[in-house]
Every structure is written in structure tokens, then in C-alpha cells.
Amino acid sequence: MSVTAAQGFTAAGVTAGLKDSGNPDIALVVNEGPSAAAAAVFTSNRCQANPVLWSKEAIKGGSARAVILNSGGANCYTGAEGFATTHRTAELVAELIGSGAVDVQVCSTGLIGRLLDEDKLMAGVRSAVDALDAGGGDAAATAIMTTDHVSKQSVREGDGWRVGGMAKGAGMLAPALATMLVVITTDVDLPAETLDEALRAATSRTFDRLDSDGCQSTNDTVLLMASGASGVTPDADAFTARLTEVCGDLAMQLLADAEGADHEIAITTVNAATEADALSVGREVARSNLFKTAIFGKDPNWGRILASVGTSDARFDPQNLDVAVNGVWVCRDSGVGESIDLVDLEPRHVTVTIDLKSGDASATVWTNDLTHAYVHENSAYST
Amino acid sequence: MSVTAAQGFTAAGVTAGLKDSGNPDIALVVNEGPSAAAAAVFTSNRCQANPVLWSKEAIKGGSARAVILNSGGANCYTGAEGFATTHRTAELVAELIGSGAVDVQVCSTGLIGRLLDEDKLMAGVRSAVDALDAGGGDAAATAIMTTDHVSKQSVREGDGWRVGGMAKGAGMLAPALATMLVVITTDVDLPAETLDEALRAATSRTFDRLDSDGCQSTNDTVLLMASGASGVTPDADAFTARLTEVCGDLAMQLLADAEGADHEIAITTVNAATEADALSVGREVARSNLFKTAIFGKDPNWGRILASVGTSDARFDPQNLDVAVNGVWVCRDSGVGESIDLVDLEPRHVTVTIDLKSGDASATVWTNDLTHAYVHENSAYST
């Protein structure tokens, strides 16, 4: 269902031959209206792929009638020729569905530094338009997969309206191959400004707190399109809450499918002076290769956690920190706490709790462990 | 030679039994004078080991008569009891050599979160004082090794004076086990303020630009002691130049011995608006796991380099960057350049050059690749 769960959307997933594997590689989602309100957030990386350069400008009007996504090539660092390809893709979709090109968002994912085969791409766009279907959500979610093992979809319901989405990516573990792309649709009737606020609030607490390896993709995009087809205008807070649930659900699916990871790790910082402090601590720990290899080795090495906490600028007393791993307080007052032998790191899901004893704010950042499989997959795939 | 190359120093390396391996684990370096001027720099990590907490305070007077170093335990996160151990170590050395405790610097390295065996430690201190010798530099350099494969030593000569040093550590790849400790001695007659300025200048261009895995140790220390025994007071710039050479030489030895690394990588950013910009870009690339796994896989993946450049706040035009790997300009104007097939990544030494085309400043940051051996060594050693 995903992007076709809400009323007013059709979708398709087809095979254009951009991927050597012969798997589906083009997805199209069309907003049939009556509204075309839309919002999007993009990677904060300053080096951005051509489809991001296009889509960022195109979304400024606050509307989108369609989004066309291809796997099999990121169209990044492909220069003016690559940008022209993105532009022509949008123009072709616009012509076929009867809209302006500026109302077509474009997303690409795959290897960077290579031009897309435009003949195959354009033929694929035509096939996708022909295949548009009100039940096409599954096909679209499958066509955007690259190294993903499963397609990611999520749907939530409000009072007479729905919000649903699809995502691809492997926890940003391999942005060059596995950019995070997310398309969310809803049939609420809300203006673009409200959608934009809701999307920024939802992504800041979900996708933005997923930090598999600290690397930022050049192509990351989260797009929200609203058809208004339900005729319902929900309270903005109620809509934001459901939207955040969809984003959170998709984020956890991305985390669980991270390439080469053995563990999903939730790092929760509690009793921080501010939420920003809690996030800062969580991100430092999430980016420590020493911590991540320790978890891979099933070693509740709290010294490496404290060493990472010490590199943050959050407020705390270095002599007075507590750390729990899977609920066992292995570090008390920055010294030895309960026995590390009590910690069972066999399960995939790991929780780390860091008590800063400096306030009442908290936040959770999610990451994965650093494994042999990560090194293998990221050193080998393009050679 | 190392720390006993300069006149006025004795040193020793002995076995106290702190290490399970039975290898030497206590080193002592004594400045016999006439001067006791000294300076030191310490880890910027806010979570600091007990010996760092002690030594930072003790060095404030600008003098040091001795430094006592132990491997086999970092004395970090060991609370008030651990600090008392550090203090008693300094007091015992002071008593035996006839100085004040505040003139004794203390360094520790090894596993964190465990108290040192104080009986063994104190007996070792007595043995070390008994073994002090004007030719004891090699023994001291050996006694501070942990996971190091070779001892690191370097000596440079001025006009009638010398500066020499020893280092331990494996490129900060495993701070919990392999903190970077550096002791440098010289027989120049220079005041503490001049030594401090020279040391900060030298470390900022050498050790501070070594970034094996972005993790900061809780114990890192670089200590400089001057005996004045040569009777020579060199020009401060000449002294800083020789000191920087010693630090640079030791830094490259640390890099070459990094645990589990297959490649040493020099990342040089050129034509930056400022040196700070060049450093910022170099550090972002050095900390990218995707870049580091690519080099392990002998893949000159310039897209991952550009993606890391894009996360820095340096001034540049994202559409106008050039990147060379081992001298081959594989990326021109943010697009495909010379063939990646021309790049030979078999040799251990790799150069990456990033041209920002935004000014005339440049800087080099050194790192290692991310390998299976890194994951293995850092996931396994304490379990």
C-alpha cells in the first residue's frame, strides 16, 4: 500500500534496464488531486546530486504533481549533462501526466560519477506512466530498492484520512549506493506551509537521529505530497503526530536493514541540560568506531562510551556520569558500576543509556555496530 | 637514544608485572638539570584519566624533574582511589630523586576502568630509579609499548644541542589500549614559556593532524623537558623547527604502526581560503568510514571524497572541485576526470589531493584505511 494507501494517488514500479541485475528500477507516484500541496527536505551535504539540485528549486512553489525515482545510478557529479538528464526526465513526466515540469520531483540512487542511460530512462518513464495504478504502492516501493533486503512501507490512519510512505536505503551506511529516499503521501487537505512544518518536525525526530556511519549522502530526499482527496483538514498537531509515526516506523526499518550490521543500537541520553546537549552526546557516541566495534564484539565497553561523551560540548561533570548497557548500570559516577558480565549483547537490539545528571532533557540517537561485513560491503561493491 | 640523546637526562625501563605478557611496563625519565623547564599538552577530551588530571595541574609551574610512565593500565575512570595512586606514584619518585611531587609528571596507558596494582607499581618505581642510566633511552621507549609493534624514537641536532623523543601508540586507533604518549627531551637552555610556545606550534602541525579513527584518547600526553645542560640558548624559531621535525617523525612512526591498517593516507587540501578551511576538509575526509573502506578495497572512489568535502564548512564551489588520488586527477570540476584505472593503490602510502580553488592555503591530515583487522582488533581485545 504505502504511497497509494491515501486517496488520490496512483503509483507504478517498472524495469527500465538501468540496473545490471534486471530488477525494477523506476518508480513513479502521481498525485491525482484535487490538491497538489507538497513539501520536502533534502540532504544538508553541500555536494548535491543533480536530482537534488532540481527538486530543491522545483519544490519552492509548494506543489508537486508527481515524483519520478530511479535506482541504478545516482546522477551525481555528472555535471551539466547530468542536470540536463534530470530536467528532461521531469519534462517527460510532466508532458505525459499533463502538468508543468516544475511540479515533478526527481530522485536518483545508485553509483555516482556516471551518466544515466537516457534512452533506457525515458523509455522507462513512459512504461511507468502506462503502469500507473491506484494499487501500485508495492511495485513502487520495490523499484526504489538498491542494496535493501526488503522494501520499507508504513501507513497510519487519522479520522477519515491516511498518511503512508515508502523508503529505500540501508541506514545511510553506503550513501554512494544506498541513499535514503522517502516518499510520503496523504489525502488530507492542508496547505504547503503546514505540510512543510509538519515534515520538518517529523524528520528532525526520526531520520535526522539515525546515524549509521556519520556519512551524509549527496542524494537524500524526503518528499511529502498531499492530495486533499479525503476532504478532511485535520488539526496540524494530529497530522504531525501521525506523520512522525510513519517517519519513525520507516527509520527503524532502515536501521534494521543497515548493510552489514549485527546490532541496532539506541543511544539515549537522559538528564541533559537541553535536548541539543542530549543529541550532541548521542551523536558523538554513535560516530565512535571504537564503540561500534566493541558492540560488534559483544563487549559492553563503557570506557569507550565515556571517551566519546568527553568529546561533546554538552554540559556535564566528567567525574559524575552513569552509563547503562541493556539496562545494566555498568558505570556509576564515572567509575566501575555493576558487572559487565550481567550484560547480554547477543540480541540484535541494544540500548545504551547515558545519564548526564545536568537537567531534565533527553533524546535518542540510533546507530549500528561496525562489523566485518560493513568493511567488506563498502570496500568491495564498486570494484 | 631518544630521550637520553640530549645531555642531562637519565632513563630506565623495567618490568613491574603490571602487564600479563611479562614485558617491560614502567619507564622513567629524569632531568638532571641544571634547568628543569618543561611544557606539556594533553588530550582535549573532557573525560580525562587520573594521570592527566594530575599532570595538567603539576605542569602549571613550568617545571618537571621527571616523568614516570606505566603501561598495563590507563588508571582512567578509577575515581578517587585511582587519583590517589597517581599522586602516591609522583610522591615516591620525588622522594627517591629528591624533588617535589609537583615536579613529577605521570602518564599511564592500558585498559581503562581498572585500578592499578599499587604494590607492583611502587616496587617498579623503585626498580626504575635504581636502573636510571644515561643510556637508558631505548629501555624507556620499549617499556611504554602496548600494542605497538616497534618502539618509536627520533633525534635531531642543533648547533651544539639536541632534541630527542620517544612515543607510544598506534595512531590513536585504540585509545582504550593504545593512548598516544610522547616524551621529548632537550639540552637547550630555554624558559618554560618558550618551550610551551614551541611545543604547541610543533604539535599543532604534527600529532594534531594525525587522525586515525577520529577517536580521542583520555590519556594522550606530549611532554617536553629541557635540561639546559648544553649551555646553549638557540633562537626560538630554530628550536621550534627541530622540535617540529622530531614530532613529525614520531607522528609518521605512529601512523605507520596503526593497528590493523593496510594504508597510510596523506590528505592534502590545496588552494583553500584559509589553513583552517584546508584542515576542516582534510579531517572530514579522514573521518569518513566510506572513504577509508574504499581505500582498503583499493578503490579510488572520489565520489566518497567529494561527499565528505561537502560536509565541511570550508569555502568552495561544490561544482568546481578537483581530486587526485596518488597524483591521478580522477575528478575534474566535480565530474569525471582521468580514468580511475590509472590509480595504483597497492603501495601502503596513499596521497589524496583536494583542490578547493578558493585561495592559496593548504594543509595535510594523515589517516589510515578501515580494514577487517581494525574491526577485529578493536572488537576482540578486551573480551
Side-chain angles (χ1 to χ4, degrees):
Chain A
M1 297 285 282
S2 66
V3 292
T4 49
Q7 298 176 65
F9 290 91
T10 54
V14 299
T15 303
L18 299 170
K19 280 178 177 168
D20 291 337
S21 65
N23 288 330
D25 47 19
I26 290 195
L28 177 64
V29 182
V30 174
N31 182 352
E32 307 286 355
S35 172
V41 294
F42 301 94
T43 179
S44 56
N45 198 310
R46 291 168 61 201
C47 290
Q48 299 174 336
N50 284 310
V52 170
L53 296 175
W54 165 265
S55 298
K56 272 178 79 168
E57 288 303 312
I59 201 70
K60 284 182 178 169
S63 68
R65 281 288 317 281
V67 55
I68 179 90
L69 311 94
N70 76 274
S71 50
N75 197 2
C76 182
Y77 308 135
T78 43
E81 202 175 338
F83 187 81
T85 296
T86 291
H87 189 199
R88 281 192 288 267
T89 307
E91 285 184 319
L92 179 58
V93 172
E95 178 194 324
L96 295 173
I97 68 168
S99 78
V102 78
D103 271 343
V104 178
Q105 292 280 295
V106 183
C107 300
S108 299
T109 179
L111 279 175
I112 63 185
R114 293 184 195 174
L115 285 167
L116 290 165
D117 182 324
E118 204 167 310
D119 289 342
K120 289 181 180 175
L121 180 62
M122 295 304 168
V125 168
R126 292 178 186 278
S127 300
V129 173
D130 289 342
L132 282 170
D133 190 280
D138 287 347
T142 301
I144 59 174
M145 291 168 62
T146 54
T147 55
D148 307 69
H149 297 95
V150 292
S151 75
K152 287 100 180 168
Q153 306 184 37
S154 182
V155 177
R156 291 291 186 282
E157 299 219 10
D159 192 8
W161 53 273
R162 283 181 175 174
V163 54
M166 65 179 185
K168 65 84 43 186
M172 296 207 270
L173 274 168
L177 190 71
T179 285
M180 181 184 81
L181 298 182
V182 180
V183 176
I184 300 169
T185 61
T186 179
D187 45 21
V188 302
D189 185 13
L190 284 170
E193 300 71 39
T194 307
L195 297 179
D196 189 64
E197 280 176 31
L199 186 62
R200 287 175 196 282
T203 54
S204 71
R205 295 183 161 266
T206 55
F207 299 117
D208 286 355
R209 296 186 180 185
L210 197 64
D211 195 341
S212 268
D213 67 358
C215 294
Q216 282 185 319
S217 161
T218 51
N219 291 53
D220 288 344
T221 302
V222 183
L223 173 66
L224 171 62
M225 298 193 289
S227 69
S230 71
V232 179
T233 298
D235 175 72
D237 289 344
F239 177 69
T240 302
R242 291 297 90 71
L243 177 65
T244 303
E245 286 175 23
V246 168
C247 290
D249 186 8
L250 291 172
M252 289 305 106
Q253 292 181 48
L254 290 169
L255 186 72
D257 199 22
E259 290 168 347
D262 278 3
H263 292 92
E264 292 110 58
I265 310 168
I267 303 162
T268 302
T269 306
V270 301
N271 297 320
T274 63
E275 189 174 358
D277 274 9
L279 276 175
S280 158
V281 165
R283 289 193 204 283
E284 288 293 330
V285 176
R287 290 180 185 181
S288 164
N289 281 350
L290 290 170
F291 163 69
K292 289 152 73 83
T293 47
I295 297 298
F296 168 59
K298 304 191 177 77
D299 170 15
N301 194 318
W302 56 268
R304 293 181 178 179
I305 297 171
L306 281 201
S308 296
V309 173
T311 61
S312 87
D313 57 3
R315 273 150 285 188
F316 60 82
D317 173 0
Q319 305 297 324
N320 189 23
L321 297 166
D322 291 356
V323 176
V325 179
N326 282 354
V328 180
W329 290 93
V330 289
C331 169
R332 287 283 192 193
D333 304 332
S334 298
V336 177
E338 296 177 60
S339 170
I340 59 172
D341 296 337
L342 299 174
V343 181
D344 177 11
L345 286 171
E346 289 296 330
R348 277 190 74 88
H349 191 68
V350 176
T351 64
V352 170
T353 312
I354 300 157
D355 188 343
L356 298 185
K357 306 180 191 177
S358 300
D360 55 13
S362 65
T364 298
V365 173
W366 290 271
T367 191
N368 297 106
D369 53 350
L370 177 54
T371 69
H372 286 297
Y374 175 88
V375 173
H376 176 73
E377 295 194 25
N378 287 296
S379 62
Y381 77 81
S382 86
T383 52
Chain B
M1 298 284 283
S2 66
V3 291
T4 50
Q7 298 175 65
F9 291 91
T10 55
V14 300
T15 303
L18 299 171
K19 281 179 178 168
D20 292 336
S21 65
N23 289 330
D25 46 19
I26 290 194
L28 177 64
V29 182
V30 175
N31 181 351
E32 309 284 355
S35 171
V41 295
F42 302 95
T43 179
S44 56
N45 198 309
R46 291 168 61 200
C47 290
Q48 298 175 337
N50 283 309
V52 170
L53 295 174
W54 166 264
S55 298
K56 271 178 78 169
E57 287 303 310
I59 200 69
K60 285 184 177 169
S63 69
R65 283 287 318 281
V67 56
I68 179 88
L69 312 94
N70 76 274
S71 49
N75 197 2
C76 183
Y77 309 134
T78 45
E81 202 175 340
F83 188 81
T85 297
T86 291
H87 189 201
R88 283 192 287 269
T89 307
E91 286 185 319
L92 180 59
V93 172
E95 178 194 325
L96 295 173
I97 68 168
S99 79
V102 78
D103 272 343
V104 179
Q105 291 281 296
V106 182
C107 300
S108 299
T109 179
L111 278 176
I112 62 186
R114 293 186 194 172
L115 285 166
L116 290 165
D117 182 324
E118 203 165 314
D119 289 343
K120 289 181 180 174
L121 180 63
M122 295 303 169
V125 168
R126 291 178 186 279
S127 301
V129 173
D130 288 344
L132 282 170
D133 190 279
D138 286 347
T142 301
I144 57 173
M145 290 167 63
T146 55
T147 54
D148 306 69
H149 297 95
V150 293
S151 74
K152 287 102 182 168
Q153 306 183 38
S154 182
V155 177
R156 289 292 185 282
E157 300 219 7
D159 192 6
W161 54 272
R162 283 182 174 171
V163 55
M166 65 181 186
K168 64 85 42 185
M172 298 208 269
L173 273 168
L177 190 73
T179 284
M180 181 184 81
L181 298 181
V182 180
V183 176
I184 300 168
T185 61
T186 179
D187 45 21
V188 301
D189 186 14
L190 284 171
E193 299 73 37
T194 308
L195 297 178
D196 188 65
E197 280 177 31
L199 185 62
R200 286 174 197 282
T203 55
S204 71
R205 294 183 161 266
T206 54
F207 300 117
D208 286 355
R209 297 186 179 186
L210 197 63
D211 195 341
S212 268
D213 67 359
C215 294
Q216 282 185 320
S217 161
T218 52
N219 291 52
D220 287 345
T221 302
V222 183
L223 174 67
L224 170 63
M225 298 194 291
S227 69
S230 71
V232 179
T233 298
D235 174 73
D237 288 344
F239 176 71
T240 302
R242 292 295 90 70
L243 178 65
T244 303
E245 287 175 23
V246 167
C247 291
D249 186 7
L250 291 171
M252 289 303 107
Q253 292 181 49
L254 290 168
L255 186 71
D257 199 23
E259 290 168 345
D262 278 3
H263 292 91
E264 292 109 59
I265 310 167
I267 303 161
T268 301
T269 306
V270 301
N271 298 321
T274 65
E275 189 174 358
D277 273 9
L279 277 174
S280 158
V281 165
R283 288 193 204 285
E284 289 292 330
V285 176
R287 290 180 184 180
S288 163
N289 282 350
L290 290 170
F291 163 69
K292 289 153 73 82
T293 47
I295 297 299
F296 168 58
K298 304 190 176 79
D299 170 15
N301 193 319
W302 56 268
R304 293 180 179 180
I305 296 171
L306 281 201
S308 296
V309 172
T311 62
S312 86
D313 56 4
R315 273 151 286 187
F316 60 82
D317 172 0
Q319 304 297 324
N320 189 23
L321 297 165
D322 290 357
V323 176
V325 179
N326 283 354
V328 180
W329 290 93
V330 288
C331 169
R332 287 283 192 193
D333 304 332
S334 298
V336 176
E338 297 178 60
S339 169
I340 60 172
D341 297 337
L342 299 173
V343 181
D344 177 13
L345 286 171
E346 289 296 331
R348 278 189 73 89
H349 191 67
V350 176
T351 63
V352 171
T353 313
I354 300 156
D355 188 343
L356 298 186
K357 306 179 191 177
S358 300
D360 55 13
S362 64
T364 299
V365 172
W366 290 271
T367 191
N368 297 107
D369 53 349
L370 177 54
T371 69
H372 286 297
Y374 175 89
V375 173
H376 177 73
E377 294 193 25
N378 287 295
S379 62
Y381 76 82
S382 85
T383 52

